[in-house]
């Protein structure tokens, strides 16, 4: 796969382009952006620390993600996947290069972001409902009416979303009363409640058992299909990557660099049965080979 | 509330222990013929407490008022400083040695200085209480803030939250259990400070009463003063413990909390 492939619009991109109503209203004179990239990493490098302790986490990386895509980032651990998410969410500035999100530098916050992490990071002093509601307290325009609507409209909104992920009636519980899988469901709700255009998921299912994980794939696919955010998912589970995404990007070992970029076009909704299909298995095997080769090279070095 | 029977048994045991302690004390005094000048019997102390209550009351109020006044000021200053120190890693690492240095000075050593500056009376007592309560609060609030998991903050930062919003929604609630732990320590220390200052340089307050009583060899009155201090200390401790339960029960992970809603 070469970088050129990215420039051919995928079927999804065309559908989106012909249905501008799906798009969150972009600023005027940005109509041509609709087909363009939502995320653009241009020659980005990240080095943590200085001097003798300096650690290059991300080598010159160029990555484009179009509106509406579901991109999985895979690669050996420590290769800079989380670093990429931090760049895109504006939590971290690149050492060199630029990060463009929604057509502007990431610091401008042109695009609303939702984020979920491997640890559920629910605030232990808030009920599940208040945790999920948190973004509505912080994000414009919701925050302006937070006081007025927290007990009515926002509450219903949270309740509906919890219902959709199978957590109906759990709003009053506290995080420690929920299982790991339930916490991750709640965590997804919190990432989506403010209807972000961009969803960043950092190994959200990494700590769960296989069955729970597979259930949550279906939940996430459902959420993605109903809300159509652009998703950047970091995972080390290749089946998960192929099941969920429209495109898989493979990073090399540290310092990370994009070494492979594959479109995944199985029909949706995808099912667990499909993950045993030879074509599906073929893709996971090829990716596994790529990552395995990298690891053995590190071993020799 | 499944733990109700359990907590009643606990309370019963605590009360029994306290009563048992006084009974044992009384018994020892009788058995070993201990002189009143050395160690008065509890019965004698409580009688003194009862008979002298009208005279002791204004002093009790004075001590309580002085302590709380200094304590409240100390907590306000302590929280402000704690937020300042704890809100950045650099500030925390820089200020921590100084803070530890300050908190290991026995604060009672400053009483003579305050007396020198402000003369005898209520002012040095309030100031002593204030100075004593500042440090545990600063150290704990700063530690609570500085040890906040970066991931929790990232949740808000990724949403574009302002620094103040992160502090208000994550940092401060996260530091609450630390804060309350420090309040419980600070309020008892604060009493020590006030009483000491009253002993040295005041003509009012329980500290002064005890001072005068001991120079008159009125040992039961000295012990009555101690009992008053102990009761005040316990009451304030319970007050903060109750507040703590209400405001940061989440940190105690009790299933009871859900029922309290
Ligand atoms: N804040 C940090 N300071 C120093 N080094 C870091 C920091 N965050 C990550 N690293 C290092 O950078 C490399 C990439 O980290 P990360 O992006 O978290 O990798 P992963 O692909 O496993 O998510 C790792 O070697 C990690 O140890
Ligand atoms: Mg990671």
């Amino acid at each position: 796969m070469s970088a050129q492939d990215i420039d051919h619009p995928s079927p999804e991109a065309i559908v989106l382009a012909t249905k501008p109503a799906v798009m969150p209203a972009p600023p005027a004179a940005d109509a041509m952006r609709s087909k363009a990239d939502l995320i653009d990493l241009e020659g980005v490098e990240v080095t943590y620390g200085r001097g003798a302790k300096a650690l290059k986490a991300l080598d010159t990386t160029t990555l484009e993600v179009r509106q509406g895509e579901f991109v999985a980032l895979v690669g050996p651990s420590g290769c800079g996947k989380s670093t990429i998410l931090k760049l895109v969410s504006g939590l971290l500035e690149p050492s060199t290069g630029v990060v463009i999100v929604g057509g502007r530098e990431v610091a401008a916050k042109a695009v609303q972001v939702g984020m979920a992490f491997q640890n559920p990071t629910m605030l232990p002093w808030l009920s599940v409902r208040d945790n999920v509601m948190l973004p509505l307290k912080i994000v414009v325009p919701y925050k302006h009416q937070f006081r007025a609507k927290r007990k009515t409209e926002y509450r219903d909104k949270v309740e509906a979303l919890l219902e959709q992920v199978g957590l109906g009636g759990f709003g009053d519980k506290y995080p420690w009363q929920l299982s790991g899988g339930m916490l991750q469901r709640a965590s997804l709700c919190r990432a989506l409640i403010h209807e972000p255009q961009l969803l960043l998921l950092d190994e959200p299912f990494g700590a769960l058992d296989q069955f729970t994980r597979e259930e949550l794939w279906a939940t996430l696919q459902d959420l993605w299909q109903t809300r159509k955010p652009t998703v950047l998912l970091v995972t080390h589970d290749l089946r998960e990557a192929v099941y969920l995404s429209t495109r898989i990007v493979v990073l090399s070992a540290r310092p990370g660099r994009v070494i492979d970029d594959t479109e995944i076009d199985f029909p949706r909704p995808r099912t667990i049965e499909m993950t045993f299909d030879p074509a599906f298995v073929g893709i996971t095997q090829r990716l596994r080979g790529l990552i395995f080769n990298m690891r053995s090279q590190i071993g020799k070095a | 509330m499944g733990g109700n029977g359990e907590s009643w048994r606990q309370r019963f045991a605590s009360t029994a222990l306290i009563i048992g302690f006084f009974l044992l004390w009384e018994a020892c005094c009788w058995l070993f013929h201990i002189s009143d000048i050395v160690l008065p019997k509890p019965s004698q102390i409580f009688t003194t407490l009862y008979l002298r209550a009208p005279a002791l009351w204004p002093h009790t109020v004075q001590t309580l008022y002085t302590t709380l006044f200094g304590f409240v000021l100390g907590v306000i200053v302590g929280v402000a400083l704690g937020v300042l120190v704890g809100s950045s890693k650099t500030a925390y690492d820089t200020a921590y040695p100084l803070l530890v240095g300050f908190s290991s000075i026995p604060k009672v050593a400053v009483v003579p200085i305050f007396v020198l500056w402000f003369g005898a009376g209520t002012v040095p007592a309030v100031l002593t209480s204030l100075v004593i309560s500042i440090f545990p609060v600063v150290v704990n609030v700063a530690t609570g803030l500085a040890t906040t998991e970066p991931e929790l903050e990232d949740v808000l930062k990724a949403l574009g939250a302002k620094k103040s919003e992160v502090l208000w929604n994550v940092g401060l609630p996260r530091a609450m259990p630390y804060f309350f732990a420090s309040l419980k320590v600070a309020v008892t220390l604060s009493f020590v400070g006030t009483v000491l200052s009253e002993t040295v340089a005041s003509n009012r307050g329980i500290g002064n009463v005890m001072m005068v009583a001991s120079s008159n060899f009125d040992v039961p009155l000295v012990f009555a003063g101690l009992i008053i201090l102990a009761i005040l200390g316990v009451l304030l401790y319970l007050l903060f413990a109750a507040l703590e339960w209400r405001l940061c029960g989440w940190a105690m992970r009790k299933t009871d909390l859900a029922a309290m809603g």
Side-chain angles (χ1 to χ4, degrees):
Chain A
M1 299 282 156
S2 70
Q4 263 76 44
D5 288 350
I6 303 164
D7 290 328
H8 301 301
S10 71
E12 275 107 337
I14 294 168
V15 171
L16 278 173
T18 52
K19 278 202 287 180
V22 180
M23 315 280 296
D30 252 2
M32 58 160 289
R33 277 237 99 81
S34 60
K35 259 183 291 179
D37 302 323
L38 184 71
I39 304 174
D40 231 327
L41 302 189
E42 291 168 11
V44 169
E45 276 182 37
V46 174
T47 304
Y48 287 110
R50 276 196 214 106
K53 280 198 208 141
L55 179 93
K56 194 177 205 180
L58 206 57
D59 210 349
T60 328
T61 298
T62 297
L63 176 70
E64 289 126 19
V65 177
R66 289 184 302 271
Q67 186 93 44
E69 275 190 305
F70 193 129
V71 176
L73 279 177
V74 298
S77 87
C79 72
K81 304 179 297 290
S82 301
T83 302
I84 290 185
L85 290 199
K86 283 187 186 153
L87 287 169
V88 173
S89 60
L91 291 172
L92 182 74
E93 283 180 30
S95 313
T96 51
V98 270
V99 180
I100 307 282
V101 178
R104 302 178 58 187
E105 285 232 29
V106 60
K109 292 267 169 213
V111 165
Q112 200 40 252
V113 175
M115 205 162 176
F117 304 84
Q118 174 167 8
N119 302 320
T121 62
M122 293 275 124
L123 305 182
W125 52 90
L126 295 181
S127 66
V128 170
R129 176 182 302 110
D130 290 338
N131 262 294
V132 173
M133 215 184 270
L134 202 60
L136 302 180
K137 193 174 177 184
I138 303 296
V139 167
V140 180
Y142 300 100
K143 68 189 282 188
H144 301 311
Q145 289 152 324
F146 185 75
R147 273 164 184 280
K149 294 188 174 169
R150 58 187 287 201
K151 296 253 160 79
T152 54
E153 190 187 316
Y154 289 177
R155 193 187 161 107
D156 296 342
K157 201 175 157 74
V158 170
E159 223 49 65
L161 190 54
L162 286 174
E163 190 78 46
Q164 192 183 353
V165 302
L167 282 181
F170 281 90
D172 286 320
K173 296 273 186 233
Y174 280 79
W176 74 85
Q177 297 171 307
L178 266 56
S179 68
M182 291 158 107
L183 283 174
Q184 280 304 359
R185 288 171 199 273
S187 197
L188 282 179
C189 290
R190 186 176 61 186
L192 283 166
I193 190 71
H194 55 300
E195 296 174 26
Q197 288 156 269
L198 179 57
L199 184 58
L200 303 175
L201 305 173
D202 195 348
E203 304 193 20
F205 313 136
L208 304 177
D209 64 89
Q210 191 65 39
F211 297 111
T212 314
R213 203 183 302 174
E214 289 174 2
E215 274 170 34
L216 276 160
W217 294 351
T219 307
L220 179 55
Q221 173 171 252
D222 179 46
L223 288 170
W224 181 69
Q225 287 193 296
T226 51
R227 295 169 171 250
K228 285 283 174 195
T230 307
V231 183
L232 202 51
L233 166 76
V234 169
T235 176
H236 53 235
D237 183 337
L238 296 172
R239 270 177 79 223
E240 176 173 303
V242 182
Y243 178 107
L244 283 167
S245 53
T246 60
R247 197 178 132 207
I248 299 179
V249 172
V250 182
L251 294 178
S252 72
R254 194 184 74 223
R257 218 161 17 83
V258 176
I259 56 161
D260 189 83
D261 197 327
T262 311
E263 299 271 349
I264 309 291
D265 46 15
F266 294 108
R268 287 189 195 265
R270 296 178 187 160
T271 59
I272 295 298
E273 288 70 50
M274 285 166 73
T275 66
F276 303 110
D277 185 284
F280 190 107
V281 175
I283 295 177
T284 55
Q285 288 302 1
R286 193 178 70 79
L287 295 172
R288 183 161 284 123
L290 278 172
I291 294 172
F292 184 79
N293 275 342
M294 252 167 349
R295 289 176 56 114
S296 50
Q297 274 160 23
I298 308 169
K300 280 179 215 137
Chain B
M1 299 271 253
N4 238 343
E6 195 70 6
S7 78
W8 276 112
R9 205 170 312 155
Q10 177 80 53
R11 253 173 242 179
F12 179 76
S14 301
T15 317
L17 184 67
I18 292 169
I19 294 175
F21 170 74
F22 283 115
L23 288 180
L24 188 71
W25 178 351
E26 185 87 25
C28 286
C29 290
W30 284 104
L31 274 178
F32 303 114
H33 304 288
I34 296 173
S35 150
D36 291 350
I37 307 275
V38 179
L39 183 68
K41 299 176 199 64
S43 55
Q44 218 175 346
I45 296 170
F46 284 108
T47 316
T48 311
L49 202 56
Y50 178 74
L51 292 178
R52 307 268 198 101
L56 283 171
W57 182 246
H59 293 286
T60 308
V61 172
Q62 165 77 16
T63 298
L64 185 64
Y65 170 77
T66 310
T67 304
L68 285 185
F69 193 55
F71 173 73
V72 168
L73 288 181
V75 168
I76 292 171
V77 176
V79 168
L81 282 178
V83 168
L84 208 65
V85 171
S87 57
S88 101
K89 179 98 180 72
T90 335
Y92 184 72
D93 291 341
T94 314
Y96 204 81
L98 182 68
L99 278 178
V100 172
F102 263 119
S103 21
S104 40
I105 296 176
K107 250 68 69 186
V108 291
V110 300
V111 174
I113 303 177
F114 286 148
V115 175
L116 189 72
W117 287 346
F118 302 101
T122 310
V123 180
V126 169
L127 286 179
T128 312
S129 162
L130 184 155
V131 167
I132 282 189
S133 40
I134 285 180
F135 290 97
V137 175
V138 176
V139 170
N140 272 33
V141 169
T143 305
L145 286 176
T147 56
T148 304
E149 296 79 355
E151 301 84 49
L152 292 188
E153 296 183 330
D154 282 353
V155 170
L156 287 208
K157 284 189 196 155
L159 293 167
K162 292 195 282 281
K163 260 195 144 179
S164 59
E165 286 173 320
V166 176
L167 181 68
W168 193 249
N169 288 291
V170 179
L172 289 181
R174 172 65 178 36
M176 270 293 171
Y178 291 80
F179 173 62
F180 274 101
S182 73
L183 284 191
K184 290 189 289 185
V185 174
V187 81
T188 33
L189 286 180
S190 203
F191 259 111
V192 176
T194 311
V195 171
L196 197 99
S197 180
E198 285 170 349
T199 312
V200 176
S202 179
N203 43 18
R204 282 198 293 170
I206 297 294
N208 176 252
V209 169
M210 286 165 62
M211 187 66 195
V212 174
S214 80
S215 56
N216 295 338
F217 297 100
D218 189 352
V219 184
L221 187 58
V222 176
F223 275 82
L226 286 183
I227 297 283
I228 290 177
L229 290 178
I231 292 172
L232 288 181
V234 169
L235 286 182
L236 286 178
Y237 183 93
L238 288 179
L239 177 74
F240 290 118
L243 266 177
E244 178 180 29
W245 175 254
R246 193 90 203 102
L247 293 176
C248 23
W250 60 268
M252 309 182 198
R253 302 279 155 107
K254 283 277 158 70
T255 33
D256 282 1
L257 192 76
M260 281 170 54

